[in-house]
Amino acid sequence: MVTPAGGPSSIADFSEGIGWRQAPAEDEWQRQLTTLEGWRQFTRYATQPPELLPTRQWEKLDNEERFLYDEHRLDYHTRMDVVATSLLRQVVHAGRRLTLLNRHAISARRGLVLSGAAGTGKTTAMTQFGKTHEAIDQRRHPEPLPRGARDRIPVVYVTVPPAATARMLAVEFARFLGIPVTSRANITDVIETVCGVMIDTRSTLVCVDEIHNLRLSTRNGAEVSDTLKYFSERIPATFLYAGINVEREGLFTGTRGQQIAGRFSLITTAAFPYADEWKAVVATLESALRLHRHRSGALQDLDYYLHQRTGGMIGSLSHLIRGAAIEVILNGNERIDRKALELVDLDHAAQSKQAKPTRRPHKGNA
């Protein structure tokens, strides 16, 4: 059973201290990372694990109190903290080093590309580095800019739209920054406005996700690449790209691809092998659960099954465990076992990668 030590002495004390009687904020539903408001909400939000009521008090909750109490825990399990994997640490360290090297560079700034299969943690690593960079910027510049100046926007996060054109990408930058763009605005005006705002607001990190949507072999793709290159030359910032198997999709081929290859380092993401780090990730996710009857260590005992089930994909693992937590809160079991895990449907990619059932390897062979 997962219960806190020295919990609240009464339901009233609990509700006042934790606020579980309040419904989750509805306005967060519409916030997106590709808008400045959504990005700031993401960077400033810190997950607060709810305390569990002592068993006797939990069992005495009336229907309305139980509903609100469970809603609070359900909301928590939908957004549990990110696990600090070796990939995330590598990206944060490499990104931090690049931003420092680029701080006083006049041209030829270096960038970073994250590439790998879907579900291997690329976007998570990118956004967590962006969050780290923003926190560092706030510590370095705690005072507001001079009166009349724009607020600092140290990080800009955009995604490359499918079949993107140069204008579509420029509009994505403008949308993040809150710059209104009319249908009559030409691409030159949009780009110049975006560059001006990003320079004024001291943007020093640009995260470009879904870069696999960029096709250098097409005219539109070549123009999008040229637009990104222009942005990187005009804006004194470090550029970070993320996409699915971009080296196979031609990001580094041709003249433009060679320019990217000459300026960007590559970090490849992959599924986790069944080894110590996988076991540690499972243990970390299990320790974050807030369930009343869950036996500590139950998921660690199932770590091999979890690897078989998810194909070692960190995204699928997080979905599976959080989904099972939600399932057992809804059905009242309050414990995750193999049966509860089997009730959660996974993405097709993870399902397809499941190996045939085999015995769990001995510790010496894991």
Side-chain angles (χ1 to χ4, degrees):
M1 181 186 300
V2 182
T3 55
S9 59
S10 70
I11 295 177
D13 292 341
F14 180 86
S15 63
E16 290 177 3
I18 306 301
W20 58 271
R21 293 179 183 272
Q22 299 178 4
E26 301 286 335
D27 60 342
E28 293 181 9
W29 291 4
Q30 301 301 323
R31 293 184 178 177
Q32 304 174 12
L33 293 183
T34 52
T35 65
L36 181 58
E37 181 186 24
W39 177 260
R40 284 179 170 169
Q41 192 277 333
F42 165 73
T43 58
R44 295 169 184 175
Y45 176 81
T47 303
Q48 296 295 330
E51 288 188 40
L52 291 180
L53 280 172
T55 301
R56 290 184 180 179
Q57 294 180 16
W58 170 61
E59 292 174 343
K60 291 180 181 179
L61 292 177
D62 62 31
N63 289 340
E64 183 63 21
E65 289 176 327
R66 175 68 62 87
F67 172 78
L68 294 175
Y69 178 70
D70 287 351
E71 278 296 305
H72 188 66
R73 290 188 299 138
L74 288 168
D75 186 66
Y76 162 73
H77 285 102
T78 65
R79 46 176 162 181
M80 285 162 54
D81 276 339
V82 172
V83 179
T85 63
S86 58
L87 169 66
L88 194 151
R89 290 191 291 270
Q90 181 185 8
V91 171
V92 170
H93 183 76
R96 176 75 172 134
R97 181 174 61 240
L98 282 173
T99 56
L100 290 171
L101 287 171
N102 289 335
R103 181 176 290 175
H104 302 295
I106 298 174
S107 62
R109 299 179 188 88
R110 303 289 174 170
L112 185 64
V113 177
L114 308 183
S115 175
T120 52
K122 299 179 299 298
T123 295
T124 297
M126 169 184 274
T127 54
Q128 288 300 311
F129 172 57
K131 189 173 186 176
T132 300
H133 181 78
E134 184 133 343
I136 291 172
D137 185 88
Q138 290 173 2
R139 291 181 63 183
R140 291 187 66 233
H141 307 283
E143 298 297 326
L145 293 176
R147 189 172 184 178
R150 298 176 185 268
D151 292 335
R152 297 185 71 89
I153 305 177
V155 180
V156 171
Y157 175 87
V158 299
T159 60
V160 179
T165 64
R167 188 180 189 281
M168 289 169 64
L169 180 67
V171 169
E172 286 296 306
F173 276 85
R175 187 167 74 94
F176 180 92
L177 297 167
I179 301 171
V181 178
T182 66
S183 58
R184 296 181 179 180
N186 62 57
I187 184 173
T188 302
D189 292 338
V190 176
I191 289 176
E192 287 303 305
T193 303
V194 166
C195 289
V197 170
M198 291 180 67
I199 291 171
D200 289 346
T201 57
R202 279 63 165 185
S203 299
T204 50
L205 176 65
V206 177
C207 297
V208 183
D209 210 347
E210 309 292 334
I211 198 70
H212 53 265
N213 286 330
L214 175 61
R215 294 284 189 267
L216 295 182
S217 58
T218 66
R219 177 179 177 180
N220 284 340
E223 291 176 351
V224 171
S225 177
D226 290 344
T227 300
L228 283 171
K229 186 173 183 295
Y230 182 75
F231 278 142
S232 69
E233 291 172 347
R234 286 284 309 277
I235 303 163
T238 299
F239 279 66
L240 175 58
Y241 298 162
I244 298 175
N245 299 326
V246 297
E247 61 272 37
R248 299 180 192 173
E249 299 297 327
L251 185 66
F252 301 127
T253 59
T255 302
R256 291 178 174 84
Q258 290 173 8
Q259 289 180 326
I260 296 172
R263 292 190 180 184
F264 283 77
S265 303
L266 176 67
I267 293 179
T268 303
T269 65
F272 281 80
Y274 180 67
D276 288 344
E277 185 172 13
W278 175 262
K279 299 174 184 179
V281 169
V282 172
T284 299
L285 287 170
E286 182 170 31
S287 68
L289 295 174
R290 291 298 181 265
L291 303 172
H292 277 276
R293 299 192 182 104
H294 183 75
R295 178 179 65 81
S296 180
L299 290 185
Q300 295 175 61
D301 293 341
L302 293 170
D303 56 15
Y304 182 63
Y305 160 78
L306 291 170
H307 191 269
Q308 294 280 97
R309 180 84 190 278
T310 63
M313 296 293 189
I314 184 68
S316 299
L317 176 68
S318 174
H319 174 84
L320 178 58
I321 292 178
R322 290 184 299 115
I326 290 170
E327 178 67 29
V328 298
I329 291 175
L330 291 174
N331 66 29
N333 287 340
E334 292 286 334
R335 66 170 66 87
I336 298 178
D337 53 19
R338 182 159 177 163
K339 182 178 179 181
L341 292 165
E342 295 284 358
L343 294 174
V344 181
D345 294 325
L346 286 182
D347 54 277
H348 179 68
Q351 294 289 120
S352 301
K353 290 182 180 179
Q354 287 188 47
K356 293 182 179 180
T358 58
R359 289 184 178 181
R360 176 180 179 135
H362 294 293
K363 291 183 179 179
N365 298 326

